Amino acid sequence: MAEIAKVGVIGAGLMGNGIAHVAALSGLSVVLMDVSQPALDKAMATMSGNMDRQVKKAIITAEDKAAALARIATATTNDGFADCDIVIEAATENEEIKKKIFAGLVSVLKPDAILASNTSSIPITRLAAATDRPQRFIGMHFFNPVPMMKLVEIIRGLATDDATAAAVEALAKRMGKAPVAAGDWPGFVVNRVLCPMLNEAIQALMEGVGDVRAIDEGMKLGANHPMGPLELSDFVGLDTLLSVMKVLHEGLGDPKYRPSPLLAKYVEAGWLGRKSGRGFYDYSTSPPTPTR
């Protein structure tokens, strides 16, 4: 398989613009697609601002920034993916939405193009079955914030061939990431371990074992975690955490993965964490204040 030179990214949100950011800085041509032009405009402004911070820290030069942004084209349809070597889907963590996206892609892509999903929990074999190229379908799970986090989980589906896995591993390394192979089980490695811990912290909060501050400070000071589990849940997004826990619970069938009722209630209220301004902390204040 030829070296990947042009990357498509679906979704201009937090993960999508982060993937486009690191791909463009690594010298790759990028097509960033979203159905919303305002979302694309916001993504370009976000990438520019994030690169400015990298310039100030002497991680990149102003020339690097200008060249990287010039490599990124935006689109509101799939037509721009026609000559991409790989397309990475970074849409919301919803299986039906992802399958619908892949169904709309297959007629546009060249026959040897790779399809990758940035899913954080949904089995790759199941997603691959919704496409015309399960042998060239793979999981490429980046972590937030993408420009800073080194890890990328590489998840092969049942049909993923060796050439696809090798090409995607090489791509991750070119983008400055450390690829780690993960098995195609719900949650893969990191979220299989991390999300149940966050869910348990929320359950402990619901049961009155401790308040927000006690739980977060306890884990930071007692387990040497850089961020408390409730603060981290807000950072991840409570809706995303709930989706992952549902995938784990349904896919593995063990009651220990049942989402905490308090997590579900916060999502129902629209209290999704940092992105909504309120979760286990109220982000309208500085510093944020616990809500329970």
Side-chain angles (χ1 to χ4, degrees), residues 154-212:
I154 306 295
I155 310 102
R156 295 177 65 156
L158 193 62
T160 307
D161 62 29
D162 292 342
T164 296
V168 170
E169 182 177 344
L171 174 64
K173 289 178 178 177
R174 178 172 177 180
M175 293 167 72
K177 301 304 179 185
V180 170
D184 190 24
W185 294 93
F188 317 128
V189 172
V190 174
N191 282 336
R192 172 73 174 267
V193 176
L194 174 65
C195 291
M197 184 197 76
L198 303 183
N199 187 63
E200 188 63 23
I202 296 167
Q203 186 69 13
L205 177 66
M206 187 184 83
E207 294 173 4
V209 176
D211 61 16
V212 169

Side-chain angles (χ1 to χ4, degrees), residues 203-276:
Q203 186 69 13
L205 177 66
M206 187 184 83
E207 294 173 4
V209 176
D211 61 16
V212 169
R213 196 177 300 281
I215 291 169
D216 275 356
E217 289 301 307
M219 291 304 292
K220 285 193 287 185
L221 299 176
N224 204 29
H225 289 192
M227 187 182 291
L230 299 173
E231 183 185 3
L232 181 55
S233 296
D234 276 357
F235 184 78
V236 168
L238 302 188
D239 53 340
T240 299
L241 177 59
L242 179 60
S243 294
V244 173
M245 291 308 303
K246 286 180 176 178
V247 169
L248 291 174
H249 190 217
E250 293 165 9
L252 298 170
D254 192 319
K256 71 180 181 181
Y257 298 113
R258 181 179 67 95
S260 170
L262 183 60
L263 172 60
K265 190 170 291 291
Y266 268 55
V267 173
E268 288 170 357
W271 296 355
L272 308 181
R274 285 185 183 229
K275 61 186 172 185
S276 70

Side-chain angles (χ1 to χ4, degrees), residues 34-230:
D34 198 288
V35 294
S36 165
Q37 185 60 51
L40 289 167
D41 295 339
K42 182 180 178 181
M44 292 301 297
T46 297
M47 286 186 280
S48 179
N50 288 341
M51 288 184 196
D52 280 338
R53 282 188 282 276
Q54 289 179 302
V55 171
K56 288 179 181 177
K57 294 178 180 178
I59 297 170
I60 64 173
T61 66
E63 290 74 20
D64 292 333
K65 174 196 170 182
L69 292 176
R71 293 187 193 103
I72 303 172
T74 60
T76 54
T77 70
N78 290 334
D79 294 342
F81 296 142
D83 60 345
C84 285
D85 301 307
I86 185 171
V87 175
I88 304 170
E89 168 271 317
T92 186
E93 190 69 357
N94 179 291
E95 184 170 347
E96 294 311 310
I97 290 174
K98 290 180 186 294
K99 285 181 175 178
K100 185 176 180 181
I101 287 170
F102 296 136
L105 269 177
V106 293
S107 63
V108 175
L109 301 181
K110 58 187 182 181
D112 61 345
I114 296 170
L115 262 176
S117 177
N118 183 56
T119 177
S120 57
S121 62
I122 302 168
I124 296 303
T125 299
R126 208 157 70 206
L127 292 176
T131 77
D132 65 341
R133 61 195 70 209
Q135 74 280 14
R136 288 188 295 279
F137 192 100
I138 199 164
M140 197 176 188
H141 180 210
F142 293 81
F143 289 79
N144 179 41
V146 179
M148 294 176 60
M149 299 294 281
K150 295 289 288 184
L151 180 66
V152 174
E153 287 182 314
I154 306 295
I155 310 102
R156 295 177 65 156
L158 193 62
T160 307
D161 62 29
D162 292 342
T164 296
V168 170
E169 182 177 344
L171 174 64
K173 289 178 178 177
R174 178 172 177 180
M175 293 167 72
K177 301 304 179 185
V180 170
D184 190 24
W185 294 93
F188 317 128
V189 172
V190 174
N191 282 336
R192 172 73 174 267
V193 176
L194 174 65
C195 291
M197 184 197 76
L198 303 183
N199 187 63
E200 188 63 23
I202 296 167
Q203 186 69 13
L205 177 66
M206 187 184 83
E207 294 173 4
V209 176
D211 61 16
V212 169
R213 196 177 300 281
I215 291 169
D216 275 356
E217 289 301 307
M219 291 304 292
K220 285 193 287 185
L221 299 176
N224 204 29
H225 289 192
M227 187 182 291
L230 299 173

